[in-house]
Amino acid sequence: MLLSNCFRPYLFRRSAVLRQLRRIVHGLLSALIILSLLIGATPPAQAAASAARPTPCTGSEVFLPVIAAGLRTFASAWQELTTPDAVPPRTLSYQPGKTYVYDWRVEIDTRSGQINKEGMRQEDHSRTYVTGRVLVNITGQEAPDHFMGNVVIEDYATCVSEQGVSEAFEDPDMAAALRIPLVFKQRANGVIIEVQSAANGIISAINLQKGILNALQATIDPTQSTYAATETGTQGTYEAQYTLANDAGSLHIARQYTRENFDDFIFQGTDNASAEMTTRIDQRLDPTLGVIRETVISEQMRSADEGQDNPQQVTIEGEAAWSELTSVGSLRHVETIDTPVQAAALSAIYRADAIGGVFDPAIDYSGRAIDLETIDLDAELDALDADPSNPLRLNRLWAIIDAGRVGERVDDFATRIVAAGSDLARIDAYLALLATDGSQAAQEFLIELAEGQTPRSTGIIAAAGEAVRSDALMRLSLVAAPVESSFTAVATLARGGDAPLNKMAVKVLGAMAGNVARTQPQTFEMVTTTLLQGLQTANDEQSKALYINALGNSGHPNMLTLLDSYFNDSSMLVKNAAYFALRKAPGPAVETKLAIDLGKEELPPPTKQVIFGVLDQKRPLGKDAAAAVDLYKTPMPAPQGGTFKKNWDYKLGGENAHVTLPGEAIVATPPYSDRFDGHAMQRAVGKVWQFQKELLMMKLSTTPLPDKQRFDWDLTIAGNVIYDESFEIQCQFTDTVPVFNKAMTLFEYSFDYPITWVIIVSVTIRVSAHLGLSYGYDFKLCNPLNMSGELFLTPTASTGASLSVGLWVALFKAGGELDARLLDTTAPAKAGAILNMDGMQACVQISYDTKPLTTKLIVFVDYYRILKQKWERWKTKQLWSYETKAFKGDILPLTCYQ
């Protein structure tokens, strides 16, 4: 509770790979406290502190330590509670016509630091103070146990202190808004049962007043001294653990709750389940006054990565971070006076309200840190041209897209694509942003480029090659809301209107249908029906696999029934496609089917590999499915009669922010194969806090034919099979083939919370990446007495996350934008086998090469112009920027089994 709660959303458990995100509690609990708690701040013309009243920073050498010492002593004195023999009265007994005056003070203390493998530590420290005068006016009594009143806040100010420098802020406009009363009704047991607010009041001021009410309410049981109570506060409904005790003749009311105790947590956007908080509220009910005489709210928040206390535990990139936040605040009764006439006579028009915090629909709380008035889009695009493979550049443009400044300039993007010539990295970055924008104009350009029939598109294709057509078509599979004209154009390509792209168009059509399954159910049904008809009329294994993959992209809810006959198809290509199509299919029946079939002895190893990969994507699994996966993953210490299997799942990062590279290799030689069977699967999965997304997955198989060796591979992008190929090669061959090397905007989540004092916090996470995947092989199979073969799958991932956090109080929004180059890693995996007269030897090796990671934190303060209905930038400051070391090593050293 108190102002410190405004930082709960970004007190996540720190990831050990992303030290940038690990410092978020300093950046957004220290740096943001410095600038974001400009609660009463105004533009420079209004920022001067009032000379009529001392501010919290006046005489800070004396004032601030006194607050700190007093509140801490007060809080610590209440930590040990004993059940008394005689308990004071357990009811409130306000006196109508009286005003209870409270002194309101808060201290927030933050510390954070980092540690690396050399044991170095860095520490930062800051404090923030808030003060005010609260008037609780009791205007009437409906019944013996129902009181009516209102609350106002006066003399509201804040002070920020860091490195011996303090600054105070006041806002006369906000002060006036806080003097408009918030009306309430409260039972004698402490529960707030009704709230009314001024119909034309400023929501931010009303929210702060609700926070005061929340600090003065309780659920007092008339008989029990230890109990649990469900209550509703400014953040929602939760269950609190209560303890009541006699404290020098007063009733001491203590309660605690955490984020996990909430049944209904108020937020908008995507809830962040990783947020942690622990709150303790101590109140003293004075039997003489009949009111809460003092409230102390204390919190301690701590976030630490692996390795804080042991440098040897720090993960690959060699950085870990820790942070602590201690907050203590109080409301202390100072006097009781007769209620002023103006406080009892309410002149405003009031409306029914509730104690819960409210989001102002007219205000964008987002902490995007984008100042639209000063954005130079041409300069931003120049920066992207200079470094198109940097995911942080994509994130920056992504934020501008969200702010609404790109869709209108699609032609400018097209001009820059033309200017890029044969620079595929630049073209690719712009196509990624067009798919992210997803406007009709952006989709029309992607279609134009895929069709390749206009002078502009033919010029681009002539300079960059035919690959840009398939790239543009692939990007349509990532558009969140494809329009009707896009479906029509892709369907035309899928019907064979353009032979080079018709197969990809079929799969893209399935992915587009999946993207509108909920918003356009009729379109979804029409497209999937067409795909099912195509499957039913397919007469060869390649065509069957094509339509099955397209249906799998759609995520049809009845996939298990639709594909029932194809799980037993004689073609391994068709069979494997059918199982893989279940990756998006919902329901326990799908999981049961996969778990049972994974254990079937008659299924060939490549099919089991596909089933294993699908189940692995569906985690967390039920008990039976988890047991089947564990059994399948049981390692083979040596080749089993000509078959070798090895799987791996290495995590680059910490618990809450990482990239994993799960994969598997299967090698089979006689007697299980005519010559040489090789099957490999490699995935790249990204996670930031609880948000996880499948980035890439490639399956590569080679099987013997009478006089040749056949290869089949397919590539899944963001959950959709888009690329695939089959070919045949003679008995001796070697090659390395780059399959994918593209920029991707991966996922975005935003969530807003009202904190206990109803300060709004907005958190936006964006993750972009530049992803690559290549495969290679080196086979010598001409001599059946001495055969060898190796398969290579090498994923590369350069992943960047941008975390924007905004703290919105009064007429100010302050926050920070953290750009973090999370991962830049190449992880080649190699599996091979040699079969000669001495038997079979199988080897596997997985390495990594992590390049330096970079990060920077920029904090900002915006002032909201109510009449103009827009934010204006006031202050911006870059707090820190740094880089980690590069590391190379083996995830799994070269290991051979014989």
Side-chain angles (χ1 to χ4, degrees), residues 476-626:
L476 287 164
S477 71
L478 302 175
V479 171
V483 297
E484 182 179 353
S485 59
S486 296
F487 277 105
T488 301
V490 175
T492 300
L493 289 173
R495 286 192 295 268
D498 193 323
L501 293 182
N502 69 326
K503 291 183 179 180
M504 177 183 283
V506 171
K507 291 172 284 190
V508 169
L509 198 60
M512 292 169 63
N515 292 342
V516 299
R518 294 184 179 180
T519 58
Q520 303 177 43
Q522 291 182 336
T523 300
F524 173 79
E525 189 64 30
M526 179 183 67
V527 172
T528 53
T529 298
T530 301
L531 294 175
L532 185 58
Q533 291 171 349
L535 173 60
Q536 293 168 344
T537 58
N539 53 18
D540 62 79
E541 64 172 359
Q542 297 287 345
S543 297
K544 290 179 182 179
L546 171 66
Y547 283 101
I548 290 173
N549 282 328
L551 283 167
N553 290 347
S554 76
H556 199 290
N558 298 325
M559 197 74 68
L560 198 60
T561 302
L562 296 177
L563 301 181
D564 182 63
S565 62
Y566 297 95
F567 297 118
N568 298 314
D569 197 277
S570 58
S571 165
M572 185 183 297
L573 183 67
V574 173
K575 185 196 308 283
N576 290 357
Y579 279 109
F580 193 60
L582 297 179
R583 66 192 179 279
K584 296 183 181 181
V590 174
E591 184 177 301
T592 300
K593 163 74 173 175
L594 292 168
I596 292 174
D597 289 2
L598 185 61
K600 289 183 177 179
E601 292 292 335
E602 64 270 23
L603 285 181
T607 301
K608 289 189 174 185
Q609 184 181 74
V610 171
I611 296 173
F612 161 68
V614 172
L615 281 171
D616 202 46
Q617 292 183 54
K618 289 181 172 290
R619 293 179 183 274
L621 300 170
K623 181 179 179 181
D624 293 341

Side-chain angles (χ1 to χ4, degrees), residues 428 431-432 435 446 471-479 742-744:
D428 183 64
L431 295 182
L446 292 173
D471 193 7
L473 182 57
M474 180 274 291
R475 297 293 175 182
L476 287 164
S477 71
L478 302 175
V479 171
K742 300 186 184 301
M744 305 281 289

Side-chain angles (χ1 to χ4, degrees), residues 147 154 249 300 341 348 753 783 883 886 895:
F147 299 96
E154 296 181 345
Q300 184 171 18
V341 175
Y753 295 99
N783 182 358
E883 181 175 289
T895 307

Side-chain angles (χ1 to χ4, degrees), residues 846-878:
I846 313 167
S847 304
Y848 66 84
D849 182 357
T850 300
K851 298 177 183 177
L853 312 181
T854 60
T855 186
K856 64 178 179 180
L857 176 68
I858 297 175
V859 295
F860 62 93
V861 180
D862 287 348
Y863 183 76
Y864 190 69
R865 296 289 187 183
I866 296 178
L867 295 181
K868 294 182 180 180
Q869 293 288 294
K870 69 175 184 179
W871 293 102
E872 293 183 0
R873 183 58 43 89
W874 183 22
K875 291 184 179 181
T876 301
K877 181 180 181 182
Q878 179 169 318

